[in-house]
Amino acid sequence: MMSESPDVLAVEVSRRCREKGVRLVLVEACTGGLVCARLTEVPGASSVVDRGFIPYSNESKVEQLGVPLGLLLAHGSVSAEAVEALAHAALERSRADWAVAETGIAGPTGGTPDKPVGLAFLAVVRRGGRAEVERHVFTGDRSGVRRAISDRAMALLLARLESEA
């Protein structure tokens, strides 16, 4: 019986976080926990992952994380403003050192001319720091878009961890 090949990106994120003593909180409003699932496949994940939130609805973003409903209505739940608010709110509700947040439209429906299928916003922020926010439009089917978002979220975290060596 062949085992699945290791998730190189998740292994590297886990390794770097352990080396730096970093604990993560994840907010996955588009991938439904894919980043957390990938990280928790790596042995020793409990020393890296503090907790995760999967706030799909606006109500859950408000109730779980305290994101102001007015912000979501003004900018949309798929926006730079929303993902930054989600990241900061997750840090306030955890013991983590860093937050990784994402929100997007995985498709195949739900897109508009202004916010097409594949649109995603990602944020990474260290406790007490400023969020780095990225906007991307990924292509592919729903599974491919979700995978691309999770890949980019982990790559963005790695880049931030390296830049703050």
Side-chain angles (χ1 to χ4, degrees), residues 128-142:
R130 288 186 25 180
E132 180 171 344
V133 176
E134 290 185 349
R135 177 191 186 276
H136 296 275
V137 179
F138 297 104
T139 59
D141 63 9
R142 182 175 182 82

PDB file of all heavy atoms in Angstrom, residues 128-142:
ATOM      1  N   GLY A 128       0.182  42.346  17.362  1.00  0.00           N
ATOM      2  CA  GLY A 128       0.766  43.672  17.535  1.00  0.00           C
ATOM      3  C   GLY A 128       1.303  44.288  16.261  1.00  0.00           C
ATOM      4  O   GLY A 128       1.827  45.400  16.287  1.00  0.00           O
ATOM      5  N   GLY A 129       1.171  43.593  15.134  1.00  0.00           N
ATOM      6  CA  GLY A 129       1.725  44.090  13.882  1.00  0.00           C
ATOM      7  C   GLY A 129       0.650  44.499  12.890  1.00  0.00           C
ATOM      8  O   GLY A 129      -0.544  44.456  13.186  1.00  0.00           O
ATOM      9  N   ARG A 130       1.109  44.890  11.724  1.00  0.00           N
ATOM     10  CA  ARG A 130       0.203  45.266  10.641  1.00  0.00           C
ATOM     11  C   ARG A 130      -0.025  44.073   9.734  1.00  0.00           C
ATOM     12  O   ARG A 130       0.887  43.294   9.476  1.00  0.00           O
ATOM     13  CB  ARG A 130       0.819  46.393   9.820  1.00  0.00           C
ATOM     14  CG  ARG A 130       0.820  47.728  10.551  1.00  0.00           C
ATOM     15  CD  ARG A 130       1.295  48.847   9.673  1.00  0.00           C
ATOM     16  NE  ARG A 130       1.065  48.527   8.256  1.00  0.00           N
ATOM     17  CZ  ARG A 130       1.366  49.310   7.258  1.00  0.00           C
ATOM     18  NH1 ARG A 130       1.912  50.465   7.481  1.00  0.00           N
ATOM     19  NH2 ARG A 130       1.137  48.951   6.017  1.00  0.00           N
ATOM     20  N   ALA A 131      -1.223  43.980   9.235  1.00  0.00           N
ATOM     21  CA  ALA A 131      -1.565  42.875   8.338  1.00  0.00           C
ATOM     22  C   ALA A 131      -0.991  43.124   6.954  1.00  0.00           C
ATOM     23  O   ALA A 131      -0.981  44.248   6.460  1.00  0.00           O
ATOM     24  CB  ALA A 131      -3.076  42.717   8.252  1.00  0.00           C
ATOM     25  N   GLU A 132      -0.523  42.051   6.346  1.00  0.00           N
ATOM     26  CA  GLU A 132      -0.192  42.076   4.930  1.00  0.00           C
ATOM     27  C   GLU A 132      -1.354  41.410   4.216  1.00  0.00           C
ATOM     28  O   GLU A 132      -1.718  40.274   4.540  1.00  0.00           O
ATOM     29  CB  GLU A 132       1.102  41.322   4.657  1.00  0.00           C
ATOM     30  CG  GLU A 132       1.480  41.339   3.188  1.00  0.00           C
ATOM     31  CD  GLU A 132       2.865  40.786   2.909  1.00  0.00           C
ATOM     32  OE1 GLU A 132       3.666  40.653   3.846  1.00  0.00           O
ATOM     33  OE2 GLU A 132       3.122  40.482   1.734  1.00  0.00           O
ATOM     34  N   VAL A 133      -1.953  42.119   3.280  1.00  0.00           N
ATOM     35  CA  VAL A 133      -3.136  41.627   2.578  1.00  0.00           C
ATOM     36  C   VAL A 133      -2.800  41.494   1.100  1.00  0.00           C
ATOM     37  O   VAL A 133      -2.170  42.378   0.512  1.00  0.00           O
ATOM     38  CB  VAL A 133      -4.334  42.586   2.769  1.00  0.00           C
ATOM     39  CG1 VAL A 133      -5.535  42.129   1.960  1.00  0.00           C
ATOM     40  CG2 VAL A 133      -4.693  42.702   4.250  1.00  0.00           C
ATOM     41  N   GLU A 134      -3.226  40.387   0.508  1.00  0.00           N
ATOM     42  CA  GLU A 134      -3.049  40.161  -0.923  1.00  0.00           C
ATOM     43  C   GLU A 134      -4.400  39.860  -1.563  1.00  0.00           C
ATOM     44  O   GLU A 134      -5.267  39.255  -0.942  1.00  0.00           O
ATOM     45  CB  GLU A 134      -2.130  38.963  -1.177  1.00  0.00           C
ATOM     46  CG  GLU A 134      -0.696  39.183  -0.813  1.00  0.00           C
ATOM     47  CD  GLU A 134       0.185  38.002  -1.196  1.00  0.00           C
ATOM     48  OE1 GLU A 134      -0.334  36.920  -1.561  1.00  0.00           O
ATOM     49  OE2 GLU A 134       1.407  38.165  -1.130  1.00  0.00           O
ATOM     50  N   ARG A 135      -4.520  40.275  -2.829  1.00  0.00           N
ATOM     51  CA  ARG A 135      -5.699  39.975  -3.638  1.00  0.00           C
ATOM     52  C   ARG A 135      -5.240  39.116  -4.803  1.00  0.00           C
ATOM     53  O   ARG A 135      -4.235  39.427  -5.459  1.00  0.00           O
ATOM     54  CB  ARG A 135      -6.315  41.268  -4.165  1.00  0.00           C
ATOM     55  CG  ARG A 135      -7.514  41.063  -5.082  1.00  0.00           C
ATOM     56  CD  ARG A 135      -7.898  42.385  -5.766  1.00  0.00           C
ATOM     57  NE  ARG A 135      -9.111  42.247  -6.541  1.00  0.00           N
ATOM     58  CZ  ARG A 135      -9.176  41.788  -7.788  1.00  0.00           C
ATOM     59  NH1 ARG A 135      -8.071  41.401  -8.426  1.00  0.00           N
ATOM     60  NH2 ARG A 135     -10.337  41.707  -8.415  1.00  0.00           N
ATOM     61  N   HIS A 136      -5.960  38.043  -5.059  1.00  0.00           N
ATOM     62  CA  HIS A 136      -5.639  37.150  -6.166  1.00  0.00           C
ATOM     63  C   HIS A 136      -6.925  36.738  -6.867  1.00  0.00           C
ATOM     64  O   HIS A 136      -7.988  36.697  -6.251  1.00  0.00           O
ATOM     65  CB  HIS A 136      -4.944  35.870  -5.669  1.00  0.00           C
ATOM     66  CG  HIS A 136      -3.620  36.118  -5.049  1.00  0.00           C
ATOM     67  ND1 HIS A 136      -2.463  36.221  -5.784  1.00  0.00           N
ATOM     68  CD2 HIS A 136      -3.271  36.293  -3.754  1.00  0.00           C
ATOM     69  CE1 HIS A 136      -1.452  36.448  -4.965  1.00  0.00           C
ATOM     70  NE2 HIS A 136      -1.915  36.497  -3.735  1.00  0.00           N
ATOM     71  N   VAL A 137      -6.807  36.391  -8.140  1.00  0.00           N
ATOM     72  CA  VAL A 137      -7.889  35.717  -8.853  1.00  0.00           C
ATOM     73  C   VAL A 137      -7.288  34.413  -9.365  1.00  0.00           C
ATOM     74  O   VAL A 137      -6.432  34.418 -10.248  1.00  0.00           O
ATOM     75  CB  VAL A 137      -8.467  36.563 -10.006  1.00  0.00           C
ATOM     76  CG1 VAL A 137      -9.563  35.781 -10.724  1.00  0.00           C
ATOM     77  CG2 VAL A 137      -9.017  37.889  -9.482  1.00  0.00           C
ATOM     78  N   PHE A 138      -7.710  33.314  -8.767  1.00  0.00           N
ATOM     79  CA  PHE A 138      -7.220  31.989  -9.126  1.00  0.00           C
ATOM     80  C   PHE A 138      -8.146  31.365 -10.162  1.00  0.00           C
ATOM     81  O   PHE A 138      -9.332  31.665 -10.200  1.00  0.00           O
ATOM     82  CB  PHE A 138      -7.141  31.099  -7.886  1.00  0.00           C
ATOM     83  CG  PHE A 138      -6.163  31.606  -6.850  1.00  0.00           C
ATOM     84  CD1 PHE A 138      -6.619  32.228  -5.704  1.00  0.00           C
ATOM     85  CD2 PHE A 138      -4.793  31.461  -7.033  1.00  0.00           C
ATOM     86  CE1 PHE A 138      -5.727  32.693  -4.746  1.00  0.00           C
ATOM     87  CE2 PHE A 138      -3.901  31.928  -6.083  1.00  0.00           C
ATOM     88  CZ  PHE A 138      -4.367  32.549  -4.939  1.00  0.00           C
ATOM     89  N   THR A 139      -7.599  30.484 -10.986  1.00  0.00           N
ATOM     90  CA  THR A 139      -8.404  29.805 -11.999  1.00  0.00           C
ATOM     91  C   THR A 139      -8.519  28.327 -11.655  1.00  0.00           C
ATOM     92  O   THR A 139      -7.736  27.798 -10.871  1.00  0.00           O
ATOM     93  CB  THR A 139      -7.780  29.962 -13.395  1.00  0.00           C
ATOM     94  OG1 THR A 139      -6.468  29.418 -13.378  1.00  0.00           O
ATOM     95  CG2 THR A 139      -7.719  31.425 -13.805  1.00  0.00           C
ATOM     96  N   GLY A 140      -9.496  27.701 -12.258  1.00  0.00           N
ATOM     97  CA  GLY A 140      -9.694  26.274 -12.059  1.00  0.00           C
ATOM     98  C   GLY A 140     -11.069  25.988 -11.496  1.00  0.00           C
ATOM     99  O   GLY A 140     -11.891  26.899 -11.320  1.00  0.00           O
ATOM    100  N   ASP A 141     -11.300  24.711 -11.218  1.00  0.00           N
ATOM    101  CA  ASP A 141     -12.570  24.329 -10.611  1.00  0.00           C
ATOM    102  C   ASP A 141     -12.540  24.649  -9.116  1.00  0.00           C
ATOM    103  O   ASP A 141     -11.537  25.151  -8.605  1.00  0.00           O
ATOM    104  CB  ASP A 141     -12.872  22.848 -10.877  1.00  0.00           C
ATOM    105  CG  ASP A 141     -11.850  21.899 -10.252  1.00  0.00           C
ATOM    106  OD1 ASP A 141     -10.977  22.333  -9.470  1.00  0.00           O
ATOM    107  OD2 ASP A 141     -11.925  20.693 -10.559  1.00  0.00           O
ATOM    108  N   ARG A 142     -13.631  24.384  -8.431  1.00  0.00           N
ATOM    109  CA  ARG A 142     -13.754  24.724  -7.007  1.00  0.00           C
ATOM    110  C   ARG A 142     -12.604  24.131  -6.187  1.00  0.00           C
ATOM    111  O   ARG A 142     -11.994  24.816  -5.374  1.00  0.00           O
ATOM    112  CB  ARG A 142     -15.111  24.224  -6.493  1.00  0.00           C
ATOM    113  CG  ARG A 142     -15.376  24.557  -5.042  1.00  0.00           C
ATOM    114  CD  ARG A 142     -16.784  24.131  -4.631  1.00  0.00           C
ATOM    115  NE  ARG A 142     -17.046  24.490  -3.255  1.00  0.00           N
ATOM    116  CZ  ARG A 142     -17.432  25.674  -2.830  1.00  0.00           C
ATOM    117  NH1 ARG A 142     -17.613  26.662  -3.709  1.00  0.00           N
ATOM    118  NH2 ARG A 142     -17.648  25.903  -1.554  1.00  0.00           N
TER     119      ARG A 142
END
